[in-house]
Amino acid sequence: MNSSASLQNSLPDDIALKIALSLQVSDVCSLGSCSRFWRELCGSDHVWEALYRDRWPAIDLDEESSADENGNHHLHQQLDLNLMGWRGLYVHKHNEMARKAASIFNYVESYLAFEAIEVGYYLKAVEDLSAMQFGFKDVQMFFLRPNINVLFNLIGLHYCFSKLDLPAECVAEALSMCRISERQVCVRWWKLGRWFYGFRLSDESLCRNVTLGDLATSKEEEVLRVLHRGAIHEVLRVQISAAKPECTPW
């Protein structure tokens, strides 16, 4: 008998379950491939219910269904749970959120002009994330990845602040863990020219390269205000793109 099998046989079931419950989804799947024992444990409803509730805490499947629209939706969730189990329900929900994320990607890409997006379309993407009820872990999984356009990182970051009301420290830590804190975006905006002795000066064009980490820690408050407000009042237009060499920090 090898050492891993010996350890497995000597490990109490409750301790093994605690180990599985402490892991993230990818780690649970990896552990489940180690042996038949771990495959059965890591595929159990105990583990996948915890993973589901951790990722989507706002969804409560234990509440009694009602006759209204929300109640009908809840009843469908209960039927899905009975048919698929917690693991199947998790996979189903994950695929649903993946499709929604893909629709946001397609929407943003359809409005990119010369690799930049106008702030109105950008803010619409943030609002769509809210309407689709993305949770923080969904945002981390789909929008805070280093191998996608930095504009999607920014949309996810903005959503965490404006819709999820997450503490800056929490968001900054997520950016660091995802290794995107140093990724940069360029925000360019045009302001109405000021009045000077009865004459209106030329409109101003302002440009700033900023890192996602600085935005998360509110070191770039002016840029954050521009992104939150969009083209309104004295700001005539706002464009966002990946960082540009000619757009230098102030």
Side-chain angles (χ1 to χ4, degrees):
M1 182 180 295
N2 59 41
S3 59
S4 61
S6 176
L7 175 62
Q8 173 185 306
N9 291 334
S10 63
L11 194 64
D13 289 347
D14 59 332
I15 300 300
L17 181 59
K18 285 184 178 180
I19 292 173
L21 290 173
S22 68
L23 303 176
Q24 298 298 316
V25 174
S26 58
D27 298 321
V28 169
C29 295
S30 297
L31 182 61
S33 65
C34 291
S35 68
R36 180 177 179 180
F37 169 81
W38 287 112
R39 181 168 64 252
E40 292 177 355
L41 180 67
C42 291
S44 69
D45 274 351
H46 291 293
V47 173
W48 286 94
E49 179 182 0
L51 290 171
Y52 187 99
R53 293 187 184 281
D54 179 60
R55 182 168 170 184
W56 298 290
I59 300 176
D60 190 352
L61 300 180
D62 292 331
E63 293 179 352
E64 293 182 358
S65 59
S66 58
D68 60 13
E69 181 179 353
N70 290 332
N72 290 332
H73 177 64
H74 169 71
L75 181 58
H76 289 312
Q77 289 176 327
Q78 286 284 16
L79 292 174
D80 289 340
L81 176 58
N82 293 335
L83 290 172
M84 297 184 289
W86 281 103
R87 181 174 183 175
L89 190 63
Y90 183 99
V91 172
H92 177 77
K93 185 67 175 178
H94 171 82
N95 290 338
E96 176 188 334
M97 301 311 291
R99 288 191 295 270
K100 290 179 177 180
S103 71
I104 297 291
F105 292 162
N106 292 334
Y107 168 80
V108 171
E109 289 171 349
S110 69
Y111 285 104
L112 283 177
F114 302 103
E115 300 183 351
I117 189 170
E118 298 290 333
V119 74
Y121 301 126
Y122 164 85
L123 291 175
K124 173 67 164 53
V126 175
E127 290 295 332
D128 286 347
L129 279 179
S130 180
M132 294 175 181
Q133 298 182 318
F134 271 72
F136 184 40
K137 293 206 170 184
D138 293 319
V139 174
Q140 289 178 274
M141 188 169 293
F142 297 115
F143 288 88
L144 300 187
R145 294 186 285 122
N147 60 340
I148 60 176
N149 191 319
V150 67
L151 293 180
F152 297 123
N153 297 157
L154 181 63
I155 289 169
L157 171 63
H158 192 149
Y159 174 70
C160 289
F161 277 136
S162 63
K163 303 300 181 181
L164 298 182
D165 294 324
L166 294 172
E169 298 80 8
C170 180
V171 179
E173 182 181 359
L175 295 180
S176 178
M177 290 179 61
C178 296
R179 300 179 181 178
I180 60 173
S181 296
E182 298 305 315
R183 298 194 79 184
Q184 291 187 325
V185 294
C186 174
V187 181
R188 185 187 298 273
W189 66 100
W190 288 261
K191 294 177 65 176
L192 194 66
R194 295 169 295 169
W195 286 94
F196 184 75
Y197 289 103
F199 295 93
R200 193 168 70 84
L201 302 178
S202 300
D203 295 339
E204 298 177 76
S205 175
L206 306 173
C207 184
R208 185 85 63 87
N209 275 346
V210 294
T211 67
L212 298 177
D214 284 345
L215 289 173
T217 53
S218 300
K219 292 181 180 179
E220 296 287 351
E221 291 187 3
E222 183 178 13
V223 177
L224 279 175
R225 285 197 300 270
V226 170
L227 290 174
H228 282 307
R229 295 175 63 194
I232 189 172
H233 301 313
E234 78 283 359
V235 178
L236 302 174
R237 184 183 181 189
V238 183
Q239 278 188 335
I240 309 116
S241 66
K244 298 179 181 296
E246 68 273 16
C247 182
T248 56
W250 292 354

